[in-house]
Amino acid sequence: MKNILFTITLLIGFTGFSQGLTLKKEPSKEVKLENGRFYIDGANIPSYQMKKIFASNLHSLKLYRQAKSKETLGGALLGIGGTMTVVDLTIGLFSDAKYPTALTYAGLGMVAVSIPILSGKSKKMKEAVSSYNEGLKNTTSIDFNLNGMVNQNGVGIQIQF
């Protein structure tokens, strides 16, 4: 029993004189959006990696996801509408069918609806980037120190923020 208590006291004494643990967060870099592409320090970042970068700021991640969903919906409407218009045009050119039909009008309507949706995408992307960059300016680095302590009053852990 004495050997166990001596060993525990010895180990606690060693931890009391050990070095403290310090964690410092690397500063994040500012994101720029130019011509629909993301840049960090002049390097082009693919859009699939931007989700990981925006993950530290929930508001910017939400705006980025909204912009991507607008891009998907607007692109689908534009593609389907354009395809419908071209198909009706080719049917009208190569057959004796009446041109334009309801297919052309529906296609042009889809193309017209896709334009404001796609323009809202770039606005959301810009808001996401500015929100992320504002979040970088408002954060301060946190110093975290963890020290083991032994003195005449007992054994303890000291944590400093």
Side-chain angles (χ1 to χ4, degrees):
M1 185 67 176
K2 288 182 183 181
N3 290 337
I4 294 173
L5 288 176
F6 177 72
T7 306
I8 290 173
T9 306
L10 191 62
L11 290 175
I12 290 173
F14 286 142
T15 59
F17 294 108
S18 64
Q19 295 180 357
L21 175 67
T22 303
L23 299 175
K24 290 188 180 180
K25 184 179 175 185
E26 279 290 320
S28 298
K29 303 208 172 56
E30 188 171 310
V31 176
K32 293 182 183 177
L33 179 68
E34 297 175 4
N35 299 328
R37 296 177 187 238
F38 296 100
Y39 293 95
I40 297 178
D41 288 338
N44 186 11
I45 306 296
S47 63
Y48 66 88
Q49 288 183 349
M50 290 308 298
K51 189 182 287 187
K52 294 177 186 173
I53 293 171
F54 285 142
S56 63
N57 188 334
L58 295 179
H59 181 66
S60 61
L61 181 63
K62 177 184 168 192
L63 291 172
Y64 178 74
R65 285 183 177 164
Q66 288 176 351
K68 292 304 269 184
S69 66
K70 280 182 171 279
E71 180 180 29
T72 303
L73 179 63
L77 287 175
L78 182 66
I80 292 170
T83 302
M84 290 170 61
T85 305
V86 169
V87 165
D88 194 36
L89 176 66
T90 55
I91 290 172
L93 287 175
F94 296 113
S95 69
D96 293 332
K98 180 184 168 192
Y99 179 78
T101 63
L103 195 62
T104 299
Y105 296 121
L108 290 176
M110 291 175 107
V111 169
V113 168
S114 71
I115 292 171
I117 292 174
L118 288 173
S119 67
K121 172 199 83 134
S122 61
K123 181 181 175 186
K124 290 281 186 185
M125 288 284 191
K126 289 177 184 174
E127 287 178 17
V129 168
S130 65
S131 172
Y132 178 77
N133 290 337
E134 282 296 318
L136 291 178
K137 294 176 185 174
N138 294 336
T139 60
T140 59
S141 63
I142 297 173
D143 292 332
F144 175 78
N145 294 323
L146 175 66
N147 296 318
M149 304 208 37
V150 176
N151 59 20
Q152 68 272 10
N153 295 329
V155 178
I157 297 174
Q158 177 186 23
I159 300 174
Q160 294 177 341
F161 294 99

